Amino acid sequence: MTISKDYRKELRDAAGNERIRLALARAIKSYRTNTNNALKKFPHTIKMAEEVKAIKEHSIQHMMALARKASENIEENKGKAYIAKTAKEALDIIGGIVGKGKLVVKAKSMTAEEIELREHLEEEGNEVYETDLGEFIIQKLGSRPMHILSPAIHVPREDVAVLFSKITGQELPPDIPTLVATARKLLREKFFKADVGISSANVLAADTGALFLIENEGNIRLATGAPPVHIALVGLEKLVPTLEEAFKVAEVTWRYANYGIPSYVSLISGPSKTGDIEKVTTYGAHGPKEFHVVFYDGGRTHLAKDPVLRQALYCLRCGGCLYECPVFSLTAGYFGDKYFTGIGAVWAKEVTKNLEKASSLAYTCLTCGRCKVRCPMKIDVPEMILKLRKSIAEPE
Ligand code: SF4
């Protein structure tokens, strides 16, 4: 199996699309400047990334044990924890908690993208709002994310203005602050009316059951804090043993994701509670009364057994490699499936099980290794691609 015809056409169309090139050229320039400045200001991050790599290597070997330990701690904190082996199991668990006819506000989550959670909840008769600005744009365009951190990276401001003008019925200028204010107005009341908020986690500490959510917009705080129920869908690769290690993973992630320091880091370990009246702990104060964490395997424990391909699980989802990829810089997420570029080929084959896409991605990757240089985990994408091509060409 090599590159499919449809995929070749998609890539050619994307590479010839001036709007994509314009949006990406702007984004790549600001990402490089921001990240280089952040690393210059906080040079210890480079050494810390080496420590984080060792933490991830250890954790990936013990994902199930860490999930069990985290589950015990979440239950002790009065939350509920579940371990889902397959996408269907995860969808059934989350669908069962949400129910039907509910209003759901959702933070951006690649794991949710993997299992098509929004689509599933909508099919069940729920109204689901993406609350990350980029994801909101994508949802309203009826498109799909084109970057793991900036889903609407391929959409220039002029196109966002046209979209938002259509939604509001007012002619809006291609002025970024105006567009951001419009999204704020459109989504504000949804957070407070929602029955359920859904998030993922950037990292989760098994010793406490505490999950970390890194963000700048404030939508995650609202989505996980305002509704009465919070559900977190967490890939098993996000687990690390301790809170101290989780802090290190979080710091390296946000630094390589463009920021010296993000506006918000939420640390959530259970439902909201108070002991303010006679020191009697009572659950359901101002935040959610229910806290559910669904750990998701979906092929990760199988992938962890492969000595080369398991590197894909070390990924922090900082998005840095995508900005360095020569193919991505022309085609955005058209060089991808649910995940993108060379590393996306591994996720497509081993996790989302899209062999056709995996093959197309594996053969489109130039194996130039620019991604490895930028990657904080020094993930050897060319090495993985060569192995993947071999396994696609000669299946066992
Ligand atoms: S592969 Fe490396 S650079 Fe790319 S998103 Fe993952 S951690 Fe970041």
Side-chain angles (χ1 to χ4, degrees):
M1 191 178 284
T2 50
I3 302 179
S4 77
K5 242 186 182 169
D6 289 353
Y7 180 69
R8 238 180 286 173
K9 182 175 178 327
E10 248 188 357
L11 274 186
R12 256 201 317 266
D13 289 352
N17 185 326
E18 272 179 33
R19 312 301 288 164
I20 295 178
R21 237 177 301 153
L22 173 69
L24 279 174
R26 286 172 180 164
I28 290 168
K29 190 165 171 247
S30 36
Y31 169 81
R32 285 196 185 138
T33 310
N34 294 346
T35 304
N36 291 343
N37 287 345
L39 291 174
K40 218 192 256 161
K41 189 166 175 192
F42 302 101
H44 71 274
T45 317
I46 294 167
K47 189 95 197 111
M48 192 184 261
E50 287 170 20
E51 267 182 77
V52 166
K53 180 160 188 190
I55 293 167
K56 294 292 284 185
E57 282 170 347
H58 170 84
S59 304
I60 296 305
Q61 290 307 305
H62 301 92
M63 286 187 290
M64 261 313 168
L66 289 171
R68 281 193 287 271
K69 187 160 185 203
S71 298
E72 277 168 31
N73 285 310
I74 290 163
E75 301 271 346
E76 205 178 302
N77 302 340
K78 300 288 183 256
K80 290 221 159 21
Y82 317 76
I83 300 178
K85 279 300 276 178
T86 62
K88 184 175 180 319
E89 275 177 42
L91 290 172
D92 286 349
I93 293 166
I94 298 174
I97 302 165
V98 173
K100 293 176 196 293
K102 300 286 175 54
L103 178 60
V104 179
V105 281
K106 199 181 143 290
K108 185 165 63 56
S109 157
M110 290 309 297
T111 316
E113 203 64 45
E114 237 178 73
I115 64 168
E116 300 183 350
L117 178 59
R118 170 160 52 83
E119 292 79 356
H120 175 76
L121 294 176
E122 283 171 346
E123 274 164 26
E124 293 288 295
N126 299 292
E127 201 182 336
V128 185
Y129 283 86
E130 296 289 353
T131 61
D132 171 85
L133 176 54
E135 199 77 46
F136 178 68
I137 293 168
I138 292 302
Q139 183 183 17
K140 293 295 169 197
L141 281 174
S143 176
R144 65 180 177 89
M146 293 284 170
H147 186 279
I148 53 177
L149 277 193
S150 311
I153 193 153
H154 57 302
V155 188
R157 68 190 79 173
E158 294 80 3
D159 295 8
V160 180
V162 172
L163 174 72
F164 283 8
S165 299
K166 242 190 242 162
I167 298 172
T168 58
Q170 290 165 2
E171 189 149 337
L172 297 168
D175 167 60
I176 295 174
T178 306
L179 301 171
V180 173
T182 306
R184 178 185 167 105
K185 214 163 148 194
L186 287 168
L187 286 169
R188 199 81 190 152
E189 58 157 21
K190 306 294 178 205
F191 291 111
F192 297 98
K193 283 192 175 159
D195 301 289
V196 181
I198 295 182
S199 76
S200 57
N202 291 98
V203 55
L204 194 145
D207 63 351
T208 47
L211 62 84
F212 289 60
L213 286 158
I214 303 167
E215 63 159 334
N216 290 295
E217 292 183 15
N219 68 304
I220 298 183
R221 296 214 136 183
L222 285 165
T224 60
V229 178
H230 171 201
I231 305 170
L233 172 67
V234 183
L236 286 179
E237 82 283 11
K238 297 291 172 64
L239 282 148
V240 296
T242 67
L243 205 51
E244 196 189 338
E245 289 165 312
F247 270 113
K248 289 181 182 168
V249 174
E251 183 172 351
V252 171
T253 303
W254 74 59
R255 197 111 331 118
Y256 277 84
N258 203 32
Y259 299 103
I261 183 84
S263 294
Y264 309 106
V265 179
S266 302
L267 202 158
I268 302 172
S269 58
S272 77
K273 62 186 177 199
T274 176
D276 273 5
I277 302 177
E278 298 177 7
K279 284 282 159 240
V280 176
T281 305
T282 306
Y283 290 87
H286 299 289
K289 198 170 181 168
E290 288 180 32
F291 174 60
H292 302 264
V293 179
V294 182
F295 291 107
Y296 177 54
D297 184 340
R300 287 158 170 81
T301 44
H302 182 256
L303 180 56
K305 292 185 188 134
D306 188 301
V308 175
L309 300 183
R310 74 162 68 117
Q311 293 177 78
L313 295 165
Y314 306 158
C315 175
L316 305 179
R317 309 265 163 88
C318 71
C321 55
L322 305 188
Y323 296 106
E324 299 303 331
C325 174
V327 186
F328 186 87
S329 72
L330 288 177
T331 62
Y334 291 96
F335 178 28
D337 174 34
K338 306 282 185 202
Y339 297 97
F340 310 101
T341 68
I343 192 168
V346 181
W347 285 86
K349 175 156 188 292
E350 302 293 328
V351 176
T352 55
K353 307 283 182 209
N354 186 341
L355 188 59
E356 192 182 320
K357 211 50 171 203
S359 162
S360 298
L361 286 169
Y363 284 95
T364 313
C365 175
L366 304 177
T367 63
C368 65
R370 284 172 58 135
C371 48
K372 185 181 168 188
V373 176
R374 169 62 77 180
C375 177
M377 299 294 95
K378 298 291 167 246
I379 293 174
D380 196 336
V381 173
E383 185 189 23
M384 290 197 295
I385 289 294
L386 294 182
K387 173 146 194 195
L388 207 62
R389 284 180 188 167
K390 197 161 184 285
S391 74
I392 290 167
E394 300 161 15
E396 281 160 18

